[in-house]
Amino acid sequence: MLYLGIIGYPISHSISPRIHNAVMEHLGINGRYLAFEVKPPDLRDAVFGARALGFVGLNVTIPYKEEVLRFVKPVGEAKLAVNTIDLRKMEGYNTDVYGVEMAFKNASLELEGKVALVIGAGGAGKAIALAIMKMGAKVIITNRTESRGLEAARELREYGECIFYPMNKIRDLSVDLIANATPVGMKGFSSGIPVPEEILKPGMIVFDAVYNPVETPLIRKAKERGCKVVSGLDMLVYQAEKAFEIWTGIKPPVSLMKRIAIEALEVQKESP
Ligand SMILES: NC(=O)c1ccc[n+]([C@@H]2O[C@H](COP(=O)([O-])OP(=O)(O)OC[C@H]3O[C@@H](n4cnc5c(N)ncnc54)[C@H](OP(=O)(O)O)[C@@H]3O)[C@@H](O)[C@H]2O)c1
C-alpha cells in the first residue's frame, strides 16, 4: 500500500487528496493520499510519525513550508520553501516553482526581459518569484509586512534580479506582469483584489495563485481590463504532477488531475 498525505493548518479545504487519489485509482496503484491537520507544536512528530508509519511522501502547505526545513534536506531551490517531502530520504522539494513555470508555458507566455510585480512574500510568493526569474524576468516583490518582503528579496537575489518595493507605492510602478501570492480573493478569506484596479493595464499578464474560486476577483477584473490571465489552478495541478513523479517515478496524467480539481472546486462552491 502506497501511503501519501498532506499536512497543514488548516487543511480541510485542500483538494489534493481528491487529485492524488483519482490518479492512483486511474493508474491502478493500491494507495491512499490523506489530509492531516497538524497543530504547530506537533509538526516534528507529524513528519517523523508519518515516516515511521511507512508513508512515502507528504505535501506541506500553509503555514509549514518554511518550518519543515528544520527536518528535511532541501533539494535545490527548496531551500527557500518546501512543499513536497520524500520521507524515504527525508528530502524536501519545491514543486510549486515547477508548477508556476508550467502554468506560464501552458499559456504560451514568454517572460524573458519582462518586469514582474509579485505581491506576497510567503512560501507561494517566493516560489512564484523564483519561477518568474528562472523564466528570464526581473522581479519586484512587495509585501504587507515590509521586513518579510525585504528578507524574501534578499534570499531571491541569489537566483537573479529581485528588489523589494513598499506596498503603498505600487501605483507608481510600470510592470509587464502582476502575480498575486496572498490569500486576497480566496473563498472564505476575502472577495477583494490585492492591487489598486487602475494598475491593471491592457496586455499586462496577471497571475493569481489563488484557485478557489477558479475565476478569482483579480482574474475577473484583469480580464475586464484586457489583461492576459494565468490561473492558479494550473500551478496547483502541475505542482501535484511533479510531486507524484518524485514519490512514484511515474508521470501522472495532468488532464485527469485538472478535471478532478475543477470538479472538487465545483463541489466546494456549493458549500458555505
Ligand atoms: N495555486 C497553487 O498551487 C498555490 C500553491 C501555494 C499557495 N497558493 C495560494 O497562495 C496564497 C499564499 O500562500 P502561502 O503559502 O505563500 O502563504 P503564507 O506563507 O502564509 O504567506 C501569505 C502571504 O500573504 C500575505 N497576506 C496575508 N493576508 C494578507 C492580506 N489581507 N493583505 C495582503 N497580504 C496578505 C502575507 O503577508 P504578511 O507577510 O504581511 O503576513 C504573506 O506574504 C494562498 O492563498 C494559497 O492558497 C496557491
Side-chain angles (χ1 to χ4, degrees):
M1 181 80 150
L2 172 67
Y3 283 115
L4 303 169
I6 181 165
I7 53 172
Y9 187 72
I11 198 68
S12 59
H13 286 90
S14 173
I15 59 169
S16 293
R18 290 283 302 276
I19 298 173
H20 286 283
N21 284 323
V23 163
M24 287 193 277
E25 198 183 324
H26 174 81
L27 295 172
I29 294 174
N30 183 18
R32 204 82 195 116
Y33 181 111
L34 301 158
F36 298 100
E37 185 169 275
V38 175
K39 295 199 172 68
D42 300 328
L43 180 63
R44 188 179 195 285
D45 286 350
V47 172
F48 286 96
R51 182 172 185 241
L53 290 169
F55 275 63
V56 162
L58 288 176
N59 278 135
V60 181
T61 188
I62 292 178
Y64 300 130
K65 288 184 179 183
E66 287 156 329
E67 208 181 332
V68 289
L69 280 163
R70 293 200 285 129
F71 318 123
V72 299
K73 187 157 56 75
V75 176
E77 48 219 24
K79 68 181 180 190
L80 289 175
V82 167
N83 80 321
T84 300
I85 301 176
D86 183 338
L87 291 165
R88 296 164 297 193
K89 302 182 198 154
M90 289 308 275
E91 283 180 348
Y93 295 82
N94 190 318
T95 71
D96 283 337
V97 177
Y98 172 83
V100 177
E101 284 181 89
M102 288 305 294
F104 281 105
K105 285 199 178 128
N106 194 33
S108 305
L109 291 168
E110 281 293 323
L111 303 190
E112 188 67 49
K114 298 213 182 310
V115 178
L117 171 66
V118 176
I119 307 141
K126 288 196 284 185
I128 292 164
L130 176 52
I132 290 173
M133 285 159 75
K134 282 177 78 179
M135 295 180 81
K138 293 177 189 168
V139 166
I140 301 169
I141 196 160
T142 191
N143 196 49
R144 183 180 59 179
T145 307
E146 202 161 309
S147 56
R148 195 178 183 191
L150 281 163
E151 175 59 21
R154 193 191 59 72
E155 283 180 68
L156 284 159
R157 271 197 287 279
E158 183 180 330
Y159 301 93
E161 280 188 61
C162 182
I163 58 162
F164 174 79
Y165 204 79
M167 206 167 221
N168 59 359
K169 295 199 176 135
I170 60 173
R171 270 194 180 83
D172 308 342
L173 292 169
S174 168
V175 295
D176 308 298
L177 187 165
I178 291 181
N180 175 41
T182 77
V184 175
M186 186 167 77
K187 180 179 180 248
F189 185 85
S190 87
S191 56
I193 68 169
V195 288
E197 187 180 324
E198 61 274 17
I199 74 169
L200 302 172
K201 301 276 192 301
M204 185 183 260
I205 302 166
V206 174
F207 171 80
D208 199 344
V210 175
Y211 55 81
N212 187 6
V214 177
E215 186 171 84
T216 63
L218 174 64
I219 293 287
R220 196 175 326 115
K221 189 56 73 187
K223 280 183 185 167
E224 276 170 31
R225 295 180 70 91
C227 307
K228 298 172 203 155
V229 300
V230 182
S231 163
L233 188 69
D234 283 346
M235 173 182 172
L236 177 80
V237 169
Y238 285 113
Q239 66 73 29
E241 177 209 15
K242 193 63 166 179
F244 192 84
E245 197 185 344
I246 288 167
W247 297 323
T248 65
I250 301 167
K251 245 187 181 330
V254 172
S255 53
L256 170 82
M257 295 168 103
K258 190 161 180 178
R259 181 169 59 73
I260 297 291
I262 291 168
E263 278 172 20
L265 291 170
E266 281 300 316
V267 171
Q268 286 194 1
K269 213 163 142 185
E270 314 303 323
S271 64

Short mmCIF file of all heavy atoms in Angstrom, two decimals, residues 61-63 65-66 96 120-125 143-145 148 167 180-184 186 189 207-211 232-233 235-237 239, ligand 1:
data_model
loop_
_atom_site.label_atom_id
_atom_site.label_comp_id
_atom_site.label_asym_id
_atom_site.label_seq_id
_atom_site.Cartn_x
_atom_site.Cartn_y
_atom_site.Cartn_z
N THR A 61 1.69 22.34 3.34
CA THR A 61 1.06 23.60 2.96
C THR A 61 1.05 24.56 4.14
O THR A 61 1.69 24.31 5.16
CB THR A 61 -0.34 23.34 2.33
OG1 THR A 61 -0.81 24.57 1.80
CG2 THR A 61 -1.33 22.76 3.31
N ILE A 62 0.33 25.68 3.96
CA ILE A 62 0.28 26.74 4.97
C ILE A 62 0.07 26.16 6.35
O ILE A 62 -0.82 25.32 6.49
CB ILE A 62 -0.88 27.72 4.67
CG1 ILE A 62 -0.62 28.52 3.38
CG2 ILE A 62 -1.10 28.70 5.79
CD1 ILE A 62 -1.76 29.47 3.00
N PRO A 63 0.80 26.49 7.38
CA PRO A 63 1.86 27.51 7.41
C PRO A 63 3.25 26.89 7.55
O PRO A 63 4.14 27.54 8.08
CB PRO A 63 1.51 28.28 8.69
CG PRO A 63 1.01 27.21 9.62
CD PRO A 63 0.37 26.13 8.76
N LYS A 65 5.58 25.53 5.16
CA LYS A 65 6.51 25.31 4.04
C LYS A 65 7.95 25.71 4.37
O LYS A 65 8.88 25.16 3.80
CB LYS A 65 6.03 26.08 2.81
CG LYS A 65 4.80 25.46 2.17
CD LYS A 65 4.39 26.17 0.91
CE LYS A 65 3.19 25.49 0.29
NZ LYS A 65 2.76 26.06 -0.97
N GLU A 66 8.09 26.67 5.26
CA GLU A 66 9.45 27.07 5.63
C GLU A 66 9.91 26.30 6.88
O GLU A 66 11.05 25.88 6.98
CB GLU A 66 9.51 28.58 5.86
CG GLU A 66 9.43 29.34 4.54
CD GLU A 66 8.92 30.76 4.65
OE1 GLU A 66 8.09 31.05 5.54
OE2 GLU A 66 9.35 31.59 3.84
N ASP A 96 6.24 23.77 -6.31
CA ASP A 96 5.46 24.97 -6.67
C ASP A 96 6.18 25.75 -7.77
O ASP A 96 5.54 26.33 -8.65
CB ASP A 96 5.29 25.89 -5.46
CG ASP A 96 4.23 25.38 -4.48
OD1 ASP A 96 3.35 24.61 -4.88
OD2 ASP A 96 4.30 25.77 -3.29
N GLY A 120 3.23 39.44 -2.12
CA GLY A 120 3.26 38.36 -1.13
C GLY A 120 4.66 37.76 -1.05
O GLY A 120 5.30 37.54 -2.09
N ALA A 121 5.11 37.50 0.17
CA ALA A 121 6.48 37.01 0.37
C ALA A 121 6.50 35.75 1.21
O ALA A 121 7.50 35.44 1.85
CB ALA A 121 7.32 38.11 1.01
N GLY A 122 5.41 35.01 1.21
CA GLY A 122 5.37 33.72 1.91
C GLY A 122 5.91 32.63 1.00
O GLY A 122 6.61 32.92 0.01
N GLY A 123 5.57 31.38 1.31
CA GLY A 123 6.06 30.25 0.52
C GLY A 123 5.69 30.39 -0.94
O GLY A 123 6.53 30.20 -1.84
N ALA A 124 4.44 30.75 -1.22
CA ALA A 124 3.99 30.86 -2.61
C ALA A 124 4.67 32.04 -3.30
O ALA A 124 5.09 31.92 -4.46
CB ALA A 124 2.47 31.01 -2.66
N GLY A 125 4.77 33.16 -2.61
CA GLY A 125 5.40 34.36 -3.19
C GLY A 125 6.82 34.07 -3.63
O GLY A 125 7.23 34.44 -4.74
N ASN A 143 5.17 43.33 -0.08
CA ASN A 143 4.52 42.54 0.96
C ASN A 143 3.95 43.46 2.03
O ASN A 143 4.51 44.52 2.30
CB ASN A 143 5.54 41.58 1.60
CG ASN A 143 4.86 40.48 2.39
OD1 ASN A 143 3.94 39.84 1.88
ND2 ASN A 143 5.27 40.26 3.62
N ARG A 144 2.82 43.03 2.61
CA ARG A 144 2.18 43.79 3.68
C ARG A 144 3.19 44.05 4.80
O ARG A 144 3.36 45.18 5.25
CB ARG A 144 0.97 43.00 4.18
CG ARG A 144 0.17 43.66 5.23
CD ARG A 144 -0.98 42.79 5.63
NE ARG A 144 -0.57 41.49 6.14
CZ ARG A 144 -1.39 40.55 6.58
NH1 ARG A 144 -2.69 40.76 6.55
NH2 ARG A 144 -0.94 39.39 7.04
N THR A 145 3.88 43.01 5.26
CA THR A 145 4.89 43.17 6.31
C THR A 145 6.24 43.39 5.63
O THR A 145 6.79 42.48 5.00
CB THR A 145 4.96 41.90 7.20
OG1 THR A 145 3.64 41.62 7.65
CG2 THR A 145 5.89 42.08 8.37
N ARG A 148 9.44 41.07 6.11
CA ARG A 148 9.38 39.75 5.45
C ARG A 148 9.64 39.89 3.95
O ARG A 148 10.31 39.06 3.34
CB ARG A 148 8.01 39.13 5.71
CG ARG A 148 7.92 37.66 5.40
CD ARG A 148 6.54 37.14 5.72
NE ARG A 148 6.41 35.72 5.50
CZ ARG A 148 5.25 35.08 5.51
NH1 ARG A 148 4.12 35.74 5.75
NH2 ARG A 148 5.20 33.80 5.31
N MET A 167 4.44 48.34 -0.42
CA MET A 167 3.10 48.08 -0.98
C MET A 167 2.30 49.37 -1.21
O MET A 167 1.56 49.46 -2.19
CB MET A 167 2.34 47.18 -0.03
CG MET A 167 1.28 46.37 -0.69
SD MET A 167 0.74 45.10 0.44
CE MET A 167 0.57 43.74 -0.62
N ASN A 180 -0.33 37.57 -7.91
CA ASN A 180 -0.82 37.60 -6.53
C ASN A 180 -0.41 36.32 -5.80
O ASN A 180 -0.76 35.22 -6.23
CB ASN A 180 -2.35 37.72 -6.50
CG ASN A 180 -2.87 37.63 -5.07
OD1 ASN A 180 -2.29 38.20 -4.14
ND2 ASN A 180 -3.98 36.94 -4.88
N ALA A 181 0.29 36.50 -4.68
CA ALA A 181 0.67 35.35 -3.85
C ALA A 181 0.21 35.59 -2.42
O ALA A 181 0.90 35.23 -1.47
CB ALA A 181 2.17 35.12 -3.92
N THR A 182 -0.95 36.23 -2.29
CA THR A 182 -1.59 36.40 -0.98
C THR A 182 -2.95 35.69 -1.04
O THR A 182 -3.43 35.39 -2.14
CB THR A 182 -1.83 37.88 -0.64
OG1 THR A 182 -2.97 38.34 -1.40
CG2 THR A 182 -0.62 38.76 -0.96
N PRO A 183 -3.58 35.47 0.11
CA PRO A 183 -4.91 34.83 0.05
C PRO A 183 -6.03 35.79 -0.34
O PRO A 183 -7.19 35.37 -0.36
CB PRO A 183 -5.13 34.32 1.47
CG PRO A 183 -3.96 34.74 2.28
CD PRO A 183 -3.13 35.67 1.50
N VAL A 184 -5.71 37.03 -0.67
CA VAL A 184 -6.76 38.01 -1.01
C VAL A 184 -7.50 37.51 -2.26
O VAL A 184 -6.89 37.25 -3.28
CB VAL A 184 -6.16 39.42 -1.23
CG1 VAL A 184 -7.22 40.39 -1.71
CG2 VAL A 184 -5.50 39.91 0.06
N MET A 186 -9.47 34.76 -2.02
CA MET A 186 -9.77 33.34 -1.80
C MET A 186 -11.12 33.18 -1.11
O MET A 186 -11.44 33.95 -0.20
CB MET A 186 -8.66 32.74 -0.92
CG MET A 186 -8.76 31.26 -0.73
SD MET A 186 -7.24 30.60 0.00
CE MET A 186 -7.42 31.08 1.69
N PHE A 189 -11.95 33.94 2.56
CA PHE A 189 -10.95 34.87 3.12
C PHE A 189 -11.35 36.31 2.82
O PHE A 189 -11.57 37.10 3.72
CB PHE A 189 -9.55 34.56 2.56
CG PHE A 189 -8.47 35.42 3.18
CD1 PHE A 189 -7.88 35.05 4.38
CD2 PHE A 189 -8.06 36.61 2.58
CE1 PHE A 189 -6.89 35.85 4.96
CE2 PHE A 189 -7.08 37.41 3.15
CZ PHE A 189 -6.49 37.02 4.34
N PHE A 207 -1.31 36.88 -13.01
CA PHE A 207 -1.34 35.51 -12.47
C PHE A 207 -1.89 35.57 -11.05
O PHE A 207 -1.53 36.47 -10.28
CB PHE A 207 0.08 34.94 -12.45
CG PHE A 207 0.19 33.62 -11.71
CD1 PHE A 207 -0.18 32.43 -12.33
CD2 PHE A 207 0.64 33.57 -10.40
CE1 PHE A 207 -0.10 31.22 -11.65
CE2 PHE A 207 0.72 32.36 -9.72
CZ PHE A 207 0.35 31.19 -10.34
N ASP A 208 -2.79 34.65 -10.72
CA ASP A 208 -3.30 34.61 -9.35
C ASP A 208 -3.05 33.21 -8.77
O ASP A 208 -3.55 32.22 -9.30
CB ASP A 208 -4.81 34.91 -9.32
CG ASP A 208 -5.26 35.32 -7.93
OD1 ASP A 208 -4.52 35.08 -6.96
OD2 ASP A 208 -6.37 35.90 -7.82
N ALA A 209 -2.28 33.14 -7.69
CA ALA A 209 -2.01 31.83 -7.05
C ALA A 209 -3.29 31.26 -6.45
O ALA A 209 -3.43 30.05 -6.30
CB ALA A 209 -0.95 31.98 -5.97
N VAL A 210 -4.21 32.13 -6.09
CA VAL A 210 -5.48 31.67 -5.53
C VAL A 210 -6.24 30.93 -6.63
O VAL A 210 -6.30 31.39 -7.77
CB VAL A 210 -6.32 32.87 -5.01
CG1 VAL A 210 -7.68 32.40 -4.53
CG2 VAL A 210 -5.57 33.58 -3.88
N TYR A 211 -6.80 29.75 -6.29
CA TYR A 211 -7.52 28.96 -7.31
C TYR A 211 -8.93 28.61 -6.86
O TYR A 211 -9.63 27.90 -7.56
CB TYR A 211 -6.73 27.69 -7.65
CG TYR A 211 -6.41 26.84 -6.45
CD1 TYR A 211 -7.34 25.98 -5.90
CD2 TYR A 211 -5.18 26.97 -5.82
CE1 TYR A 211 -7.06 25.24 -4.77
CE2 TYR A 211 -4.88 26.23 -4.68
CZ TYR A 211 -5.83 25.38 -4.16
OH TYR A 211 -5.56 24.66 -3.04
N GLY A 232 -4.21 30.07 -11.06
CA GLY A 232 -3.53 29.32 -10.00
C GLY A 232 -3.86 27.84 -10.04
O GLY A 232 -3.14 27.02 -9.47
N LEU A 233 -4.95 27.50 -10.70
CA LEU A 233 -5.33 26.08 -10.80
C LEU A 233 -4.26 25.30 -11.58
O LEU A 233 -3.96 24.16 -11.25
CB LEU A 233 -6.69 25.95 -11.48
CG LEU A 233 -7.28 24.55 -11.46
CD1 LEU A 233 -7.68 24.16 -10.06
CD2 LEU A 233 -8.47 24.46 -12.40
N MET A 235 -1.08 26.05 -11.68
CA MET A 235 0.05 25.88 -10.75
C MET A 235 -0.20 24.70 -9.82
O MET A 235 0.66 23.85 -9.61
CB MET A 235 0.23 27.17 -9.93
CG MET A 235 1.25 27.07 -8.81
SD MET A 235 1.32 28.63 -7.87
CE MET A 235 2.38 28.17 -6.52
N LEU A 236 -1.43 24.62 -9.30
CA LEU A 236 -1.79 23.54 -8.37
C LEU A 236 -1.62 22.17 -9.03
O LEU A 236 -1.04 21.24 -8.46
CB LEU A 236 -3.23 23.72 -7.90
CG LEU A 236 -3.72 22.61 -6.98
CD1 LEU A 236 -3.22 22.83 -5.56
CD2 LEU A 236 -5.23 22.51 -6.99
N VAL A 237 -2.13 22.07 -10.24
CA VAL A 237 -2.13 20.77 -10.92
C VAL A 237 -0.70 20.36 -11.30
O VAL A 237 -0.31 19.21 -11.10
CB VAL A 237 -3.06 20.84 -12.16
CG1 VAL A 237 -2.87 19.62 -13.04
CG2 VAL A 237 -4.51 20.96 -11.73
N GLN A 239 2.13 21.38 -9.87
CA GLN A 239 2.97 21.05 -8.72
C GLN A 239 2.62 19.65 -8.22
O GLN A 239 3.47 18.90 -7.77
CB GLN A 239 2.89 22.11 -7.60
CG GLN A 239 1.57 22.30 -6.86
CD GLN A 239 1.20 21.19 -5.89
OE1 GLN A 239 2.08 20.54 -5.34
NE2 GLN A 239 -0.08 20.96 -5.69
N1 LIG B 1 -2.04 27.58 -6.85
C1 LIG B 1 -1.27 26.90 -6.03
O1 LIG B 1 -0.83 25.79 -6.32
C2 LIG B 1 -0.88 27.51 -4.72
C3 LIG B 1 0.22 27.00 -4.03
C4 LIG B 1 0.57 27.61 -2.83
C5 LIG B 1 -0.19 28.66 -2.33
N2 LIG B 1 -1.24 29.12 -3.03
C6 LIG B 1 -2.04 30.25 -2.54
O2 LIG B 1 -1.17 31.36 -2.33
C7 LIG B 1 -1.58 32.10 -1.21
C8 LIG B 1 -0.40 32.33 -0.27
O3 LIG B 1 0.11 31.10 0.18
P1 LIG B 1 1.47 30.98 1.02
O4 LIG B 1 1.76 29.54 1.15
O5 LIG B 1 2.53 31.88 0.47
O6 LIG B 1 1.01 31.58 2.44
P2 LIG B 1 1.88 32.27 3.56
O7 LIG B 1 3.28 31.70 3.59
O8 LIG B 1 1.07 32.25 4.80
O9 LIG B 1 2.02 33.79 3.05
C9 LIG B 1 0.88 34.60 2.92
C10 LIG B 1 1.26 35.90 2.23
O10 LIG B 1 0.06 36.64 2.03
C11 LIG B 1 0.18 37.90 2.68
N3 LIG B 1 -1.13 38.29 3.19
C12 LIG B 1 -1.94 37.57 4.01
N4 LIG B 1 -3.09 38.23 4.22
C13 LIG B 1 -2.99 39.40 3.53
C14 LIG B 1 -3.87 40.49 3.37
N5 LIG B 1 -5.06 40.55 3.94
N6 LIG B 1 -3.45 41.53 2.59
C15 LIG B 1 -2.24 41.50 1.99
N7 LIG B 1 -1.37 40.49 2.12
C16 LIG B 1 -1.75 39.43 2.88
C17 LIG B 1 1.19 37.67 3.77
O11 LIG B 1 1.76 38.92 4.14
P3 LIG B 1 2.43 39.13 5.61
O12 LIG B 1 3.85 38.67 5.46
O13 LIG B 1 2.28 40.57 5.84
O14 LIG B 1 1.63 38.29 6.58
C18 LIG B 1 2.19 36.77 3.05
O15 LIG B 1 3.01 37.47 2.19
C19 LIG B 1 -2.72 31.30 -0.56
O16 LIG B 1 -3.93 31.88 -0.91
C20 LIG B 1 -2.62 29.94 -1.18
O17 LIG B 1 -3.90 29.35 -1.33
C21 LIG B 1 -1.60 28.56 -4.21
#
